[in-house]
Amino acid sequence: MEPAAPPPPSPPPAAAPGSAELVCAQGRNLKAVLCQRCGSRVLLPGAATFARRELLLPAMRKKAAAAAAGGGGDVVREHWLVRDMFSFENVGFTRDVGNVKFLVCADCEAGPIGWHCLDDKDSFYVALERVAHE
């Protein structure tokens, strides 16, 4: 499910009906992005761009449990795309799983909330359905 090469840049896609209130006219996040479990702030408003990309993320669990369990997960299609890792307010990374690191909440280690391919240093994907917005 994970493409080997990053997709070419494209204009911001139209948001799905459920996410329309989260995306501004420029395709950026209107609201802060928070951890669903502990409420820790992951991204400030305007820090990410809405993107569609089909990615397989393991089932949500604490980082230690995710490392112990294998397989299973969800195909996620709507994400916040972050181009600079220093744009995050609060995020952690799992150990390498092949050429991928998964993003987790740095406070409670819930996740994965997102995906980062080590071949593309400038693309961090945060799944809309795995975070809260404020």
Side-chain angles (χ1 to χ4, degrees):
M1 289 275 157
E2 293 125 20
S10 61
S19 59
E21 70 277 0
L22 301 175
V23 183
C24 73
Q26 294 78 30
R28 301 193 73 74
N29 60 312
L30 282 171
K31 300 180 178 185
V33 177
L34 311 172
C35 173
Q36 284 180 345
R37 182 167 291 149
C38 73
S40 181
R41 189 175 305 259
V42 176
L43 289 166
L44 293 174
T49 305
F50 180 80
R52 282 203 177 93
R53 183 172 180 184
E54 194 169 283
L55 299 173
L56 178 63
L57 290 179
M60 286 277 290
R61 42 177 80 94
K62 287 190 75 164
K63 187 169 74 173
D74 306 308
V75 175
V76 184
R77 292 177 178 84
E78 293 184 337
H79 309 274
W80 293 121
L81 173 59
V82 178
R83 293 292 186 179
D84 180 0
M85 72 181 288
F86 295 106
S87 295
F88 287 104
E89 292 295 304
N90 185 26
V91 75
F93 296 88
T94 64
R95 291 187 179 138
D96 298 0
V97 180
N99 67 337
V100 171
K101 284 186 181 276
F102 294 106
L103 283 61
V104 298
C105 174
D107 283 342
C108 71
E109 296 185 343
I113 60 170
W115 185 91
H116 170 66
C117 179
L118 298 173
D119 297 334
D120 183 4
K121 301 289 184 201
D122 299 324
S123 296
F124 303 85
Y125 293 89
V126 177
L128 265 69
E129 67 185 54
R130 300 229 176 154
V131 292
H133 298 87
E134 158 186 277

